Amino acid sequence: MESHDRGLWSAAALPACFSDIMKNRTLHPAYPFILSYAAMVCLAIAVNLMPVFLTTLRVELGGRAGLSGEQLGRISAVTFAGLVGGILFGGPLADRWGGKLFSMLGTLLIGAGLVFLAISPSYSAVLVAVFVMGLGAGILDMVLSPIVAALQPDNRAMALNWLHSFYGIGTVVTVLVGTFAFRLGIGWRIISLISTALPLLVAFGFLTVDLLSLISDKEGARTPMRDLCRNSSFIAVNAAIFLGGALELGLAQWLPAYAEMSLGFSKLTGGISLLAFSAVMALGRIFAGLIGRRLDPIRLMLRCCWTSAVLFLFACFAPWPTVALAASVAVGLAGSCLWPTTLGVAADRFPRGGATMFALLAAFGNLGGILMPWLVGVMSDRSSQRLGLATSTACALLMAFVLLWMQGRPVEDSRESHPVVQTA
């Protein structure tokens, strides 16, 4: 009986010990940050894995004629449609139900989309898969920023630069691993299945952690979105992130084609230039996070805007192709901090905005990233690719003027003065 009782005690104590281990693990201050960084890598996988597959999908799913350029472009469009939908869908709900649920949902949707992509029998099924992946990426894009801002309330701009640096890291790793796997003869379906491991692990990680409220008790209840939209400083922040997204993605989407078609480099060099662009962008965000405590965020962004404008002129009009390509890559470094630092400024000036505010900002940033590549293409058709890409210089200059206006508005003047509402 004594032995039997000891066995029962051991069986009962084991789950309790496991629970204590998990509890101690969740209390470690770095654990939520690590999960958020890993989730940002998942977001990068969802957005950047398909471009690695495009030439293969053209042949395997398009029959003898192959998929058309419009059909290949539709894959990217559907991905971003899902991303924007996830952003707008998740924001208001995350304020009510918390960041943990939506962190898990976003990573699980990316994992489910990768699995469905691996077993997709047709082009239409691929579109469904990338939409699901985009939906998950949008939910993560919406929820990760307010989670990290709540974890680091004393220096949000620094924390958000570190967070978004992992998007660049994830992009580089995704493209390198995907390309290397293809060279080893591993098919795109197997690559998709292997890629599900990280989203599933991150989803389990969020299951075992208790996250802080997206709005702390000392900051009060969430400010209604209609009140935020009446604030001129909030409108300026949305304009700034729209221009920052346009500056970043307008060049990133066209860089390989520009290197090959206008500068005369090989296709391989064009691909490497995009990898270098993503790598220096990640490094720039890490550096901005390191110096964030010593430099005013708006002053930092102003310097980056002026530098980006000068580099765009070199990239588009330098008579030496090597100099033009180097300047194009350097734009990734100069403009790297604009998006995450704008989010940090918004969080500092509107600390009760919640996930809904971050969702609206992310939607405007992605809208700039959708419209600017199209505008570059339109201007390229009417003149030349150099002049088309040079239109992105306007984004840097306009953003600088918006920031100068914001610099004249003290933080206290831009805080919400309207009544707040309680949320569940």
Side-chain angles (χ1 to χ4, degrees), residues 236-252:
V237 169
N238 279 277
I241 201 167
F242 172 86
L243 293 167
L247 184 154
E248 174 185 331
L249 293 174
L251 178 58

Side-chain angles (χ1 to χ4, degrees), residues 17-40:
C17 293
F18 178 76
S19 177
D20 290 340
I21 291 171
M22 295 307 298
K23 184 177 180 181
N24 292 333
R25 186 183 179 194
T26 60
L27 290 176
H28 194 284
Y31 188 47
F33 283 104
I34 293 171
L35 283 175
S36 298
Y37 298 156
M40 187 58 77

Side-chain angles (χ1 to χ4, degrees), residues 81 96-97 99 104 106 123 167 197 200 204 229 239 262-264 274 290 305 308 323 344 353 362-363 374 383-384 422:
R96 291 184 174 274
W97 297 337
M104 293 172 57
Y123 171 74
Y167 178 81
L200 294 179
F204 176 75
C229 292
S262 295
L263 300 180
L274 182 57
L290 291 174
C305 285
S308 296
V323 173
W374 172 79
S383 54
S384 68
Q422 294 288 344

Side-chain angles (χ1 to χ4, degrees), residues 152 155-162 288-289 292 297 340-345 348:
Q152 192 79 9
N155 203 331
R156 296 182 174 100
M158 177 199 72
L160 289 169
N161 269 289
W162 275 82
T341 306
T342 303
L343 291 176
V345 169
D348 286 337

Side-chain angles (χ1 to χ4, degrees), residues 166-315:
F166 280 85
Y167 178 81
I169 293 171
T171 299
V172 172
V173 171
T174 299
V175 175
L176 286 178
V177 170
T179 303
F180 184 66
F182 269 134
R183 288 189 175 274
L184 291 179
I186 302 174
W188 60 276
R189 297 182 187 275
I190 300 299
I191 297 173
S192 299
L193 279 178
I194 294 173
S195 300
T196 61
L198 183 61
L200 294 179
L201 286 173
V202 174
F204 176 75
F206 277 115
L207 178 65
T208 63
V209 71
D210 291 326
L211 296 175
L212 297 174
S213 172
L214 299 183
I215 304 174
S216 68
D217 293 335
K218 67 179 181 180
E219 289 168 344
R222 183 179 64 83
T223 303
M225 184 52 59
R226 62 179 177 274
D227 291 341
L228 280 178
C229 292
R230 293 176 189 150
N231 190 303
S232 57
S233 288
F234 184 69
I235 295 172
V237 169
N238 279 277
I241 201 167
F242 172 86
L243 293 167
L247 184 154
E248 174 185 331
L249 293 174
L251 178 58
Q253 295 292 315
W254 278 95
L255 183 53
Y258 178 64
E260 183 180 350
M261 297 168 61
S262 295
L263 300 180
F265 289 100
S266 67
K267 188 179 294 290
L268 176 62
T269 302
I272 292 174
S273 68
L274 182 57
L275 282 177
F277 182 91
S278 299
V280 298
M281 178 163 286
L283 291 174
R285 287 172 175 173
I286 292 172
F287 180 71
L290 291 174
I291 67 172
R293 293 184 182 274
R294 298 189 293 273
L295 192 62
D296 176 72
I298 292 184
R299 189 176 302 173
L300 172 63
M301 287 193 290
L302 278 170
R303 292 178 182 178
C304 290
C305 285
W306 302 129
T307 305
S308 296
V310 172
L311 287 172
F312 263 118
L313 295 177
F314 274 101

